[in-house]
Amino acid sequence: MKQAELRRRDFLHATTVTGVAAALSASVSPGLVRAQPARDTGPASKDAGPATKIVKTQCRACISNCGVLAHVRDGRVIKLEGNPEDPMSKGAMCAKGLAGIQALYHPSRNKYPMKRVGKRGENKWQRISWEEALDTIATKLMETREKYGAEAVVGSTGGGGNPNFMSIARFLDVFGSPNWFEPGAAQCYMPRQLVYMLMYGGGGSGNTSIADSNCLELYYPDQTPIKALVLWGTGPSYSTPPCGGQALVELRARGVKTVVIDPRMTPDAAKADIWLPIRPGTDVALMSAWIKHIIDKKLYDADFVMKWTNLPYLVDVKTKMLLRESDLKTGGSKDTFVVWDRKTNTARPLPYPFDDNLDPALAGSFTVNGAACKTGFQLLAERVEPFTIAKAAEICWLDAKKVEEAIDLYARNSPSGIILGVATDHNPNSTQSAMGAAALDLMMGNVEKPGTLLQRFTDGAVRDLRSTPLKDFLSEAQLNKRLGNIEHKGLLTWWTGQPAEILKAMATGKPYPLKVWIDRSGNKLAMVAEPHKWVEAMKNLDLIVHIYMYPTSFSAYADILLPATEWLETDFVVRSMNKLFARRAVTHLWETMNETAIFPELAKRCAKLGHEDCRRSFDAKATAPEQPYFDTYEQQLDAWTDSAVKMTWKEFVQKAPVDFCPFDKWKVYYVYKEIDPKTGKPRGFGTPSKKCEIYMESMITLARTGVPFTTYPLPPASKDYDPLLYYMEPHENPKAEIGKTYPLVMTNGRLPMFHHGTLRNIPWLREICPVPELWVHPDDAKTSGVAHGDWLWVESRRGKIQARARVTAGMAPGVVYMERFWNPEGLGTPTQGWQEMNVNILSSADPPYNDVCGTYTIRGYQVKISKAGGPPPGVWYKPEQYAAWLPQPTEATKPVEVRS
Amino acid sequence: MRKTLVIDLDRCIGCYTCEVSCKQENGVALGLSWNKVLTVGPSGRYPDVQMYFLPTMCQECEDPPCVKTCPTGASYKRPDGIVLIDKAKCIGCQLCMKACPYGARSFNTETKVVEKCTLCLHLQEAGDKPACVKSCVAKARFFGDADDPNSDVSKALKAAGSDNVHSLPELGNNKPSVRYILHPKTAKWTQNQP
Amino acid sequence: MESTPETVALLENRENLYRLLTRLYRAEVDPAFLDGLAAMSFPAADNDDDMAAGARLLEGWLRRPQTDPVTTLAVDYARVFLGAGIASGAVAYPYESVYTSPERLIMQDARDKVVAAYRTSGLDKSDAFTVPEDHIALELEFMAHLCAETRHALAAAEPEGVAFGLTQQAEFLTRHLANWVPAFCADVAVYADTDFYKGVAKLTAGYLRMDEAILADLRAELVD
């Protein structure tokens, strides 16, 4: 008793703090309040708790957007599983999606807006309110516009990371800056989309990228008659296991034959009938050989080629332009093209769609009114003539016999299709590769019939339930200033700028300085080529804003951090086949914000500061036919669902998924044969000639004017873009001088547990792949003195990084593979996590660039490898280390077993 | 009754979804895995190489060495074939881990007992299938009673044909019950230890 | 238990300290709170226990002349508790779930349990404070709330209410503070830049230890 008394006295003394009540008087509002009776206040016992709700939502761990059932108990997400209602994923969900809970509840999430204190890189931050953050940014934007011009503000995003991809483009249109970029675009999907749009005209999804949710025919394995698939530089088992990966499993199980063209043995390659381990960067050589073989052996669909492509049309050899009726006679139509009629041995106009009285020559050289002309087909045949199978095999490091088998597998098993992946978008021969693959499928007649990949299933009004650019807001003067745009008009497809030119302007101030950078994406320093140059150039910027869910290397150099919502905190509309699904915010943490809502808020503030176009952007009449900015995000959601299915967001969420089109009206074939009631003639393809324009005169028009993607005619590029594919040997290649010091060809590719630069901080996923592996053939390993599991140095002309060796026979000799990587555990150290094992330190932002859209080189360059003493300091590669994702208790205290 | 798994390796694309969904469902600790996806190969001489993926887990042996070695009776085999660990009885001696030919058991350093695949008994009791079976994106996993000709496992095995059905090698006479389907078209089954 | 001035003061002091700690973790120190803190004074202590040592660090820092103490503290707060700009390590995330869940995530079992505890007392988290319910500021606020309830029961001469209140406090303290806050405070001591927050952490750890002992005493007294 005495002891206790003493303790009480001591305690009383020790806890009597004078002035404490007064100090607390200026306090914050209570954190705990009276519970509302309506709330689910279940009993506190372990067995019966609050009920678990199942909320339908859509994943966004990658761009596959698979359907998800989120189990939510009392505001906490406890489990995720796939939603069987989703017709693409069919209830499947991959490891990345399942890790969504770890991503959502990761304590290192960006929680509140932060502004930098002290110098950039010191990593000192102070929390600010959203008001202050947005006001600061808007004020700086307006100052910059005043002093340097709106073009001094550059934006960026990530195609993989940002569900609302065009949000920053739209804001910049309104603000008046033409400059935004993403590390993808010309280096990802845009080359394919642009080429297929011009050649086939099937709209934005009229291409064969399976990872971008096209190739919809493949998701009906029991109905589709497809016989053979070529996976060209794509690995759906890695890039989209529940959608493309699953679809291929079902098709292979039903006897569909596959060819995989990939230097590394991916799961799809392992299960293919033929594996062509191609030298990276040489795809156009191989495609040329395929085209030549198909022409020589007459394996193409002759009727389709004649009637539905522009290959029989005559081309003026000198001007490279197609002949038109107006060239033959005055008053002739500019829209009617010319063929060589073998019956009369004269050039004759060919009325659309065809004239059975004519017998057009498919191949041949002719003279028309004194001008040398050839058919498109002839020009194509001549272009690919040098590429015999033997020659291609030599260039591409392949077995000629296997190459021929592969072409035959594709060409003699119809219908077939070429799924073209991102690999060919990663080097300067990007658009030409797309031209090759598109030409092949179109010449084979692999289009718009059952069993083909190129389809125009009904879109309805629901093409873009995302923010769209407001192109009309960007003046002609400003459009002309878009960096890299005049020379590479293909960038107009996505209304975006060229990273290399933006870097140059940022670094040198030429042709004009850049002063503000707003980025909505993960880790730019892991994704752009030559990040060191960017870090140096960033020193010239007055304001850098980073919008993302976590701190990344890029954040370390920023001035303001804005916390973005995770996919489990986001409301959005997602399309799958003919259905619309709702991505739902099942919870909300801290003060994260959907970035879709950030940009209208910036526009509001700029409007208040006098920016007229920012004011107009809220006026539906001014933005028509595009939607305006809305006051609240709820209004934006309503506008999307109303435009698509005439419902409010609330209604839509109750009913989702909703068919925006009945299935049988959606899955339509032979769209090109549909009769257009206005003309009484077939609709044809979505090109100016209504035929598949395998001879791409459109490339010349694009180079000279920017048509069809521009809002104003633009000055010409320095030279015309070639209407036909051509092969460019990789600039850095083993036979060049550089090959002596750097003998191996580097390539990249996806892994199933990550999506681009994301998820490196998620323990479940990181423990499966703790560090990037460099795959190397046993012969090359031996020559380089490295063994399986060794820590390596990997070097290019541009830099040096580390990796861990995976010696494997599943790798083409002479080629090495490594995926992009950054190390979150390095953030806050001198490397800031982007210098240890980041393969893009090795890649090249220098010329040569792709002529049409400016692609630089992130695959297909030369490297060397050597053994290193150990891992980079500070890198975590043991599973236990990911438990230390948070600080280890500094005392060896174990969490107490809580007994309830 | 013989409840077990059948895995179709022709279909398996090595995406690790089963591994992660098991962790989610069962709260498996970092560094441990009750269902580990292994890569077999690439083997052979380039370019004629083959490769397949091999998810490994408790093989639900008919005569489990782990049960035989366990000093406390914590490891036991149920009448329906499922091998389980009674955590209350487990003293963490880890002898069973040494006895298991497949490395299917893990020692949990926090709870200090051994753990392993339970074929998601808690889900079975709710009328559902194990998490790995439900979550497999390639529909490559089957669960059921191998003694019941109408079960998913029996049907899968029948469709495959006995030439294309394999099991992991034995150590002694433990008789693993898990079966793997692999056709030569995909790859040649390699006798190997996980 | 009798309602003596001493007992009442005991409960009041405890409530005040819990509220003080709540406020310190709930948000950054704003100018008004800074003035209030500077005007506070902790009792002199000749021993070396953590609470006294922590208080000394705190007061020492407050007395030092500085150019911009509010910003300095805000930067420390943002780093140590909000983890601004940090992907891993060097952060003391103030959530019980982070310290007690195997995956070190927020919103795990600990959060569910404290929600149940709050609800038993008829409380819920305010919508204005958008953090998980097992944030240290809320757990400490809950303790303050329980102290107040017990104080009222004592004043109203409700011995059962007093006993129940003390039991609730002891259980919550053991199950939801003592099990993780010491480790959390150790981390803060390492990661904080300012003696201010180092002091707050020491003070917290020391105070909780003392409170555990005092609660045991008070409850033992009830048995008598």
Side-chain angles (χ1 to χ4, degrees):
Chain A
M1 199 52 185
K2 195 106 203 296
Q3 278 282 42
E5 256 178 50
L6 225 63
R7 273 201 294 273
R8 285 231 270 183
R9 293 267 147 74
D10 285 341
F11 184 90
L12 210 52
H13 172 80
T15 58
T16 302
V17 182
T18 48
V20 65
L24 289 170
S25 62
S27 211
V28 294
S29 58
L32 294 171
V33 297
R34 284 281 135 222
Q36 297 304 316
R39 268 199 227 238
D40 183 0
T41 55
S45 94
K46 192 166 52 163
D47 296 350
T52 301
K53 285 190 299 173
I54 302 201
V55 184
K56 293 187 202 178
T57 184
Q58 303 291 110
C59 186
R60 197 33 169 83
C62 80
I63 60 177
S64 297
N65 297 326
C66 303
V68 170
L69 298 172
H71 295 233
V72 185
R73 187 184 63 213
D74 198 10
R76 172 186 166 193
V77 184
I78 52 171
K79 183 163 146 169
L80 299 172
E81 48 182 5
N83 181 357
E85 286 176 292
D86 187 323
M88 278 188 90
S89 58
K90 302 174 184 167
M93 203 180 156
C94 75
K96 307 192 295 286
L98 290 174
I101 296 180
Q102 290 195 332
L104 173 70
Y105 289 146
H106 202 288
S108 77
R109 293 273 310 274
N110 285 342
K111 308 172 182 70
Y112 304 97
M114 292 286 169
K115 82 165 180 218
R116 176 176 54 80
V117 174
K119 294 209 282 286
R120 271 186 200 156
E122 279 184 353
N123 215 22
K124 287 196 166 127
W125 304 93
Q126 179 175 11
R127 167 161 56 166
I128 55 177
S129 65
W130 272 101
E131 283 296 312
E132 185 185 333
L134 294 168
D135 283 338
T136 307
I137 298 170
T139 305
K140 194 61 180 176
L141 288 174
M142 294 300 282
E143 264 173 37
T144 305
R145 177 176 177 254
E146 175 72 31
K147 194 161 173 213
Y148 299 100
E151 64 271 17
V153 173
V154 63
S156 61
T157 190
N162 184 353
N164 194 14
F165 183 60
M166 285 294 186
S167 60
I168 200 138
R170 163 177 271 243
F171 173 71
L172 292 171
D173 280 339
V174 166
F175 182 74
S177 172
N179 292 322
W180 74 279
F181 77 96
E182 63 125 357
Q187 284 76 232
C188 176
Y189 191 39
M190 196 184 75
R192 289 171 283 159
Q193 202 184 45
L194 131 77
V195 165
Y196 278 77
M197 278 188 344
L198 292 178
M199 196 188 278
Y200 154 56
S205 26
N207 57 70
T208 62
S209 171
I210 202 173
D212 291 282
S213 302
N214 302 322
C215 305
L216 300 183
E217 178 73 12
L218 300 179
Y219 295 88
Y220 303 93
D222 289 323
Q223 288 84 39
T224 184
I226 196 165
K227 300 254 177 2
L229 276 169
V230 179
L231 278 62
W232 203 307
T234 180
S237 291
Y238 276 161
S239 56
T240 171
C243 293
Q246 182 187 172
L248 287 169
V249 167
E250 296 302 337
L251 292 168
R252 284 189 296 249
R254 285 159 178 75
V256 172
K257 297 188 190 302
T258 62
V259 173
V260 170
I261 302 179
D262 190 326
R264 70 173 170 145
M265 173 156 275
T266 59
D268 297 299
K271 298 184 197 298
D273 293 279
I274 299 175
W275 176 41
L276 296 180
I278 191 172
R279 170 163 72 107
T282 64
D283 303 84
V284 179
L286 188 60
M287 287 169 179
S288 301
W290 281 44
I291 295 173
K292 175 178 159 60
H293 182 85
I294 283 171
I295 288 177
D296 290 347
K297 302 275 194 245
K298 295 197 167 37
L299 296 171
Y300 52 88
D301 184 336
D303 189 68
F304 184 83
V305 168
M306 177 59 73
K307 301 233 172 82
W308 286 106
T309 76
N310 69 355
L311 289 179
Y313 294 174
L314 290 173
V315 177
D316 181 322
V317 168
K318 199 156 110 218
T319 67
K320 298 200 168 60
M321 302 297 283
L322 291 160
L323 245 52
R324 285 146 165 91
E325 189 183 37
S326 49
D327 296 318
L328 294 184
K329 66 175 202 223
T330 30
S333 164
K334 276 206 293 270
D335 298 323
T336 301
F337 299 88
V338 179
V339 296
W340 188 266
D341 176 34
R342 292 195 294 196
K343 279 195 210 163
T344 59
N345 243 349
T346 55
R348 301 288 290 273
L350 183 75
Y352 176 82
F354 202 72
D355 184 349
D356 286 314
N357 295 318
L358 300 177
D359 179 22
L362 187 55
S365 309
F366 311 98
T367 311
V368 181
N369 294 346
C373 295
K374 298 185 187 209
T375 65
F377 188 91
Q378 180 68 29
L379 288 167
L380 176 62
E382 288 176 6
R383 180 60 63 87
V384 300
E385 177 58 31
F387 292 91
T388 58
I389 290 181
K391 173 111 192 261
E394 188 202 317
I395 295 173
C396 305
W397 297 354
L398 296 170
D399 178 297
K401 198 151 85 61
K402 276 260 157 66
V403 171
E404 185 162 357
E405 275 175 36
I407 311 175
D408 282 343
L409 188 149
Y410 163 73
R412 295 181 197 273
N413 290 291
S414 279
S416 55
I418 300 177
I419 303 175
L420 185 62
V422 83
T424 58
D425 290 340
H426 280 180
N427 64 65
N429 228 178
S430 55
T431 52
Q432 291 77 27
S433 307
M435 288 163 86
L440 281 163
D441 265 350
L442 294 173
M443 288 174 74
M444 293 303 301
N446 284 329
V447 56
E448 294 195 0
K449 59 188 190 200
T452 64
L453 302 177
L454 293 169
Q455 303 287 355
R456 272 182 291 176
F457 296 155
T458 309
D459 257 341
V462 298
R463 194 47 244 141
D464 243 330
L465 291 179
R466 305 190 289 185
S467 294
T468 54
L470 286 173
K471 297 184 184 181
D472 291 338
F473 273 63
L474 197 65
S475 70
E476 184 172 5
Q478 290 304 96
L479 178 60
N480 269 273
K481 290 182 191 160
R482 176 170 287 150
L483 294 162
N485 193 34
I486 303 302
E487 189 59 15
H488 308 291
K489 300 253 187 358
L491 291 165
L492 289 160
T493 321
W494 285 14
W495 201 243
T496 186
Q498 186 190 15
E501 285 299 308
I502 289 174
L503 171 60
K504 224 181 281 165
M506 205 183 281
T508 65
K510 306 257 187 298
Y512 51 79
L514 299 177
K515 286 292 165 193
V516 174
W517 186 356
I518 303 179
D519 175 58
R520 190 289 189 212
S521 70
N523 192 353
K524 279 284 164 285
L525 301 179
M527 298 297 131
V528 293
E530 304 195 64
H532 284 103
K533 289 186 178 166
W534 287 90
V535 169
E536 195 51 39
M538 281 159 84
K539 295 179 181 163
N540 297 326
L541 299 174
D542 292 340
L543 176 67
I544 301 174
V545 179
H546 190 203
I547 308 171
Y548 197 54
M549 293 88 77
Y550 309 92
T552 72
S553 309
F554 189 79
S555 319
Y557 304 92
D559 306 308
I560 293 186
L561 304 182
L562 296 179
T565 50
E566 262 285 331
W567 60 268
L568 284 162
E569 295 172 294
T570 305
D571 289 315
F572 214 61
V573 185
V574 175
R575 201 182 100 162
S576 180
M577 305 299 191
N578 65 317
K579 295 176 186 297
L580 290 181
F581 286 80
R583 175 175 294 130
R584 303 285 304 283
V586 305
T587 185
H588 180 233
L589 292 161
W590 303 295
E591 286 179 13
T592 59
M593 199 162 158
N594 185 335
E595 49 86 43
T596 306
I598 294 178
F599 294 106
E601 289 298 317
L602 279 179
K604 263 187 219 170
R605 281 160 177 77
C606 291
K608 248 198 224 123
L609 293 169
H611 196 305
E612 181 57 19
D613 274 349
C614 284
R615 190 195 60 76
R616 282 174 61 230
S617 65
F618 288 83
D619 179 358
K621 287 203 275 291
T623 63
E626 305 298 333
Q627 288 179 357
Y629 271 141
F630 294 93
D631 227 8
T632 68
Y633 187 56
E634 290 64 39
Q635 289 169 332
Q636 169 69 87
L637 289 166
D638 282 336
W640 279 328
T641 51
D642 181 66
S643 73
V645 290
K646 300 259 175 293
M647 290 180 204
T648 62
W649 169 254
K650 276 208 178 70
E651 263 184 86
F652 171 69
V653 151
Q654 291 306 317
K655 302 195 173 132
V658 172
D659 288 4
F660 65 80
C661 182
F663 184 75
D664 55 349
K665 296 243 168 0
W666 171 77
K667 196 160 182 281
V668 291
Y669 297 101
Y670 303 110
V671 171
Y672 68 103
K673 288 191 184 169
E674 278 171 21
I675 301 298
D676 180 351
K678 274 185 273 186
T679 62
K681 299 197 178 141
R683 234 172 105 172
F685 293 96
T687 63
S689 64
K690 300 202 182 82
K691 304 281 179 86
C692 293
E693 298 191 355
I694 300 178
Y695 180 83
M696 296 183 80
E697 184 196 81
S698 51
M699 281 294 184
I700 299 174
T701 314
L702 180 65
R704 291 180 185 175
T705 66
V707 169
F709 302 120
T710 188
T711 45
Y712 301 97
L714 294 170
S718 64
K719 55 189 226 287
D720 288 340
Y721 306 144
D722 199 315
L724 291 171
L725 80 170
Y726 61 90
Y727 172 61
M728 275 201 310
E729 173 69 19
H731 176 69
E732 284 189 12
N733 68 76
K735 288 215 178 111
E737 186 64 26
I738 192 176
K740 298 198 181 118
T741 350
Y742 301 97
L744 300 168
V745 183
M746 169 64 86
T747 191
N748 310 142
R750 294 284 291 276
L751 290 169
M753 64 287 294
F754 302 126
H755 178 60
H756 298 317
T758 68
L759 303 173
R760 300 308 190 283
N761 61 338
I762 302 303
W764 278 345
L765 301 172
R766 185 77 188 271
E767 66 173 340
I768 302 175
C769 177
V771 290
E773 292 182 320
L774 180 125
W775 295 24
V776 57
H777 187 91
D779 295 348
D780 296 317
K782 195 140 163 248
T783 320
S784 309
V786 309
H788 183 74
D790 277 352
W791 291 101
L792 301 176
W793 288 109
V794 190
E795 300 174 66
S796 79
R797 181 171 265 170
R798 289 156 290 278
K800 191 173 173 169
I801 57 166
Q802 288 201 256
R804 199 159 194 185
R806 177 168 162 176
V807 179
T808 168
M811 194 70 222
V815 182
V816 293
Y817 152 86
M818 185 174 167
E819 171 58 326
R820 300 153 295 169
F821 215 90
W822 72 283
N823 296 74
E825 63 273 23
L827 193 59
T829 73
T831 66
Q832 300 290 11
W834 60 274
Q835 300 179 62
E836 294 91 335
M837 314 183 90
N838 173 7
V839 72
N840 274 319
I841 285 182
L842 309 180
S843 59
S844 172
D846 282 336
Y849 303 128
N850 172 268
D851 43 2
V852 180
C853 57
T855 313
Y856 53 33
T857 306
I858 47 181
R859 295 194 203 192
Y861 55 88
Q862 299 300 117
V863 298
K864 70 175 175 195
I865 62 176
S866 56
K867 194 167 143 111
V875 157
W876 293 351
Y877 59 96
K878 297 194 194 111
E880 315 83 74
Q881 288 174 306
Y882 305 122
W885 212 282
L886 296 162
Q888 291 290 18
T890 42
E891 290 159 11
T893 41
K894 285 263 167 214
V896 167
E897 183 76 54
V898 178
R899 256 168 256 103
S900 301
Chain B
M1 234 204 210
R2 249 190 325 144
K3 284 202 179 155
T4 191
L5 294 171
V6 168
I7 318 224
D8 186 339
L9 303 182
D10 295 314
R11 286 178 161 255
C12 176
I13 54 174
C15 69
Y16 298 93
T17 298
C18 55
E19 192 166 328
V20 171
S21 70
C22 170
K23 291 189 83 124
Q24 177 188 235
E25 184 66 38
N26 296 293
V28 181
L30 276 176
L32 302 184
S33 179
W34 293 1
N35 175 97
K36 198 116 201 62
V37 177
L38 304 179
T39 306
V40 181
S43 53
R45 184 137 187 83
Y46 175 90
D48 297 311
V49 291
Q50 64 164 38
M51 178 178 81
Y52 61 93
F53 300 96
L54 184 70
T56 58
M57 70 300 293
C58 170
Q59 300 287 297
E60 309 294 348
C61 302
E62 293 183 39
D63 191 11
C66 55
V67 171
K68 286 217 275 266
T69 337
C70 177
T72 65
S75 282
Y76 65 102
K77 188 170 173 78
R78 289 168 28 133
D80 64 1
I82 303 179
V83 177
L84 288 178
I85 302 170
D86 181 347
K87 302 216 173 148
K89 292 189 186 161
C90 176
I91 55 171
C93 70
Q94 301 181 50
L95 282 173
C96 59
M97 288 173 61
K98 295 192 184 64
C100 174
Y102 312 115
R105 293 174 161 235
S106 333
F107 181 68
N108 188 322
T109 49
E110 304 230 352
T111 57
K112 300 268 198 293
V113 295
V114 175
E115 52 183 48
K116 70 168 201 68
C117 169
T118 61
L119 285 178
C120 286
L121 199 54
H122 61 289
L123 290 179
Q124 288 184 51
E125 280 161 4
D128 213 343
K129 297 184 195 172
C132 60
V133 174
K134 289 202 301 177
S135 69
C136 176
V137 311
K139 301 203 171 35
R141 298 178 73 113
F142 305 91
F143 163 76
D145 177 7
D147 287 338
D148 171 8
N150 290 318
S151 69
D152 288 346
V153 299
S154 299
K155 288 196 269 204
L157 292 174
K158 186 150 183 262
S162 56
D163 279 349
N164 303 305
V165 173
H166 315 272
S167 57
L168 293 183
E170 295 191 85
L171 201 73
N173 208 17
N174 55 302
K175 296 205 262 294
S177 70
V178 172
R179 292 285 177 271
Y180 294 93
I181 296 171
L182 183 66
H183 288 72
K185 176 172 127 84
T186 302
K188 189 163 167 298
W189 173 260
T190 312
Q191 281 296 82
N192 65 330
Q193 294 285 1
Chain C
M1 178 188 291
E2 275 181 67
S3 172
T4 64
E6 195 192 57
T7 322
V8 170
L10 207 77
L11 292 171
E12 272 177 2
N13 281 6
R14 292 179 63 238
E15 185 184 336
N16 282 336
L17 269 164
Y18 275 116
R19 289 209 191 281
L20 178 66
L21 292 175
T22 297
R23 175 60 189 87
L24 285 164
Y25 290 109
R26 168 77 183 268
E28 296 88 335
V29 175
D30 58 38
F33 188 39
L34 185 69
D35 288 341
L37 286 169
M40 257 173 38
S41 110
F42 280 84
D46 49 3
N47 58 14
D48 212 11
D49 68 68
D50 277 351
M51 184 167 166
R56 272 201 298 281
L57 278 173
L58 191 59
E59 290 183 315
W61 192 92
L62 287 165
R63 272 199 295 271
R64 240 176 274 156
Q66 344 217 1
T67 30
D68 190 357
V70 170
T71 302
T72 308
L73 290 182
V75 169
D76 212 17
Y77 184 96
R79 197 188 61 247
V80 177
F81 303 123
L82 303 180
I86 299 178
S88 54
V91 181
Y93 298 106
Y95 311 95
E96 185 181 341
S97 287
V98 166
Y99 279 82
T100 59
S101 69
E103 294 163 31
R104 302 197 178 260
L105 300 172
I106 61 162
M107 297 292 283
Q108 299 303 292
D109 288 348
R111 173 265 181 187
D112 291 344
K113 295 200 172 101
V114 303
V115 168
Y118 299 162
R119 295 231 176 99
T120 304
S121 292
L123 294 176
D124 244 329
K125 179 177 68 83
S126 153
D127 285 338
F129 190 27
T130 57
V131 297
E133 288 87 345
D134 60 350
H135 189 287
I136 193 175
L138 288 170
E139 294 188 344
L140 293 167
E141 184 175 335
F142 187 57
M143 285 298 287
H145 168 86
L146 293 176
C147 287
E149 299 251 301
T150 307
R151 213 169 23 86
H152 294 143
L154 187 64
E158 288 167 12
E160 273 161 21
V162 173
F164 181 63
L166 290 175
T167 305
Q168 268 193 304
Q169 289 169 51
E171 284 179 354
F172 193 81
L173 179 50
T174 307
R175 290 179 190 171
H176 292 298
L177 286 168
N179 63 326
W180 73 282
V181 175
F184 165 75
C185 290
D187 287 340
V188 177
V190 170
Y191 298 133
D193 236 0
T194 60
D195 275 352
F196 180 93
Y197 281 111
K198 285 188 203 275
V200 169
K202 241 189 164 56
L203 198 155
T204 309
Y207 173 65
L208 288 180
R209 263 204 306 281
M210 283 175 50
D211 204 41
E212 229 179 341
I214 267 300
L215 271 172
D217 279 354
L218 290 172
R219 292 177 75 207
E221 195 185 298
L222 292 174
V223 174
D224 285 346

